[in-house]
């Protein structure tokens, strides 16, 4: 189904990595009651109606915040599993023949999942994530063929998450975030404002909206007028 949104975990690329990254790094989590990917639900507009309905319930939100995320955080922090996952992922960042830096993007997604859980991340690994960001492909446009790396709002979202990272504090990547600076309600003290035209993009203030307009105007189309989905 491709990519249906502009931020992290709003496309198959990110969700596929989230689902397979632990096993791909050689670690077994078969006994886990909740996986890393269980912290990021599918927000695709083509998801089954019953799934979308579940994600909107208070029961799901409560279980995610008070059961699933703490469970994953505890497992990542036990026996330094998170640090060992980072070490294994960084070891795969050879760059040889990796034109789109997919191996480095896997480390980015691992970092996002760790931040989502509020798991411990060393200062060295946090700096490594910062150093990786400018190396990852990023575009402000939809692409028809090869789809790799960030969209601009996803990149801003990840950098804001790094800036506000605190061990033990879970950070959601699915609540509204500013398309320009990536901040969420907890960072700015109020819910980001929604673009009145497309009702997709959100901004922390008018300044961010103006600064991002050059990139956003191409995709600023009311939902009923959208002709190409999941690209």
């Amino acid at each position: 189904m491709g990519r249906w949104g502009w931020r992290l975990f709003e496309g198959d690329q990110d969700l596929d990595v989230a689902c397979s990254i632990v096993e791909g790094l050689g670690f077994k989590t078969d006994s886990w009651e909740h996986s890393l990917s269980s912290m990021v639900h599918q927000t695709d507009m083509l998801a089954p109606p019953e799934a979308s309905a579940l994600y909107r319930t208070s029961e799901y939100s409560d279980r995610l915040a008070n059961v699933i995320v703490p469970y994953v955080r505890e497992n990542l922090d036990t026996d330094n599993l998170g640090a060992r996952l980072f070490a294994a992922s960084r070891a795969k960042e050879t760059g040889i023949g990796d034109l789109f830096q997919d191996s480095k993007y896997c480390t980015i997604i691992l970092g996002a999942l760790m931040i989502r859980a509020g798991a411990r991340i060393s200062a060295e690994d946090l700096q490594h994530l910062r150093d990786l960001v400018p190396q990852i492909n990023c575009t402000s446009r939809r692409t028809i063929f090869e789809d790799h790396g960030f969209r601009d709002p996803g990149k801003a979202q990840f950098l804001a998450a790094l800036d506000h990272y605190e061990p033990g504090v879970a950070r959601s990547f699915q609540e509204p975030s500013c398309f320009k600076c990536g901040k969420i309600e907890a960072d700015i003290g109020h819910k980001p404002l929604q673009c009145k035209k497309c009702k997709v993009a959100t901004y922390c203030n008018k300044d961010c909206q103006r600064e991002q307009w050059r990139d956003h105007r191409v995709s600023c189309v009311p939902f009923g007028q959208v002709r190409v989905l999941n690209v």
Side-chain angles (χ1 to χ4, degrees):
M1 289 180 287
R3 193 194 296 255
W4 52 87
W6 297 92
R7 306 180 311 143
L8 291 181
F9 304 112
E10 292 181 347
D12 290 346
Q13 172 189 228
D14 295 357
L15 293 175
D16 287 346
V17 173
C19 288
S20 63
I21 190 167
V22 175
E23 289 73 15
L25 294 174
F27 293 80
K28 297 295 184 181
T29 56
D30 296 341
S31 62
W32 285 27
E33 183 178 356
H34 305 292
S35 64
L36 266 69
S37 60
S38 66
M39 298 186 296
V40 286
H41 60 68
Q42 184 174 338
T43 55
D44 185 0
M45 61 187 71
L46 296 182
E50 58 272 19
S52 297
L54 171 65
Y55 299 147
R56 292 193 295 268
T57 64
S58 58
E59 291 80 7
Y60 172 78
S61 297
D62 181 73
R63 179 170 173 77
L64 180 63
N66 298 307
V67 178
I68 297 175
V69 169
Y71 174 89
V72 174
R73 177 168 64 241
E74 182 179 0
N75 277 277
L76 288 171
D77 287 347
T78 299
D79 296 329
N80 289 318
L81 175 60
R84 290 186 286 128
L85 286 169
F86 265 121
S89 188
R90 292 178 63 170
K92 289 193 171 187
E93 297 171 14
T94 61
I96 300 175
D98 189 357
L99 180 62
F100 295 103
Q101 305 290 0
D102 288 339
S103 60
K104 294 179 179 178
Y105 191 69
C106 284
T107 303
I108 292 285
I109 293 299
L110 174 61
L113 291 168
M114 295 276 288
I115 293 171
R116 176 67 187 99
R120 290 194 301 267
I121 305 176
S122 69
E124 179 183 354
D125 285 329
L126 284 171
Q127 185 58 51
H128 182 69
L129 290 169
R130 290 185 183 281
D131 293 341
L132 283 184
V133 171
Q135 302 176 47
I136 303 299
N137 179 65
C138 180
T139 178
S140 60
R141 301 289 187 268
R142 288 186 171 91
T143 58
I144 297 177
F145 299 108
E146 298 290 346
D147 187 14
H148 298 267
F150 294 114
R151 290 291 188 269
D152 282 349
K155 180 178 180 179
Q157 183 188 25
F158 184 69
L159 286 171
L162 286 176
D163 287 342
H164 293 86
Y165 164 76
E166 292 183 47
V169 178
R171 185 181 181 92
S172 173
F173 285 91
Q174 290 173 299
E175 65 177 274
S177 61
C178 179
F179 270 39
K180 174 60 180 178
C181 69
K183 294 178 181 177
I184 60 176
E185 181 178 0
D187 306 329
I188 58 179
H190 62 80
K191 291 183 181 296
L193 307 173
Q194 190 178 67
C195 174
K196 293 182 179 179
K197 183 178 180 181
C198 68
K199 300 187 185 305
V200 172
T202 50
Y203 298 96
C204 59
N205 54 47
K206 292 292 185 181
D207 289 339
C208 278
Q209 186 174 22
R210 281 192 292 268
E211 290 177 24
Q212 215 246 345
W213 174 243
R214 182 176 180 181
D215 291 330
H216 176 57
R217 64 183 177 181
V218 177
S219 60
C220 188
V221 180
F223 178 75
Q225 299 177 23
V226 174
R227 293 291 180 267
V228 180
L229 305 179
N230 289 308
V231 175

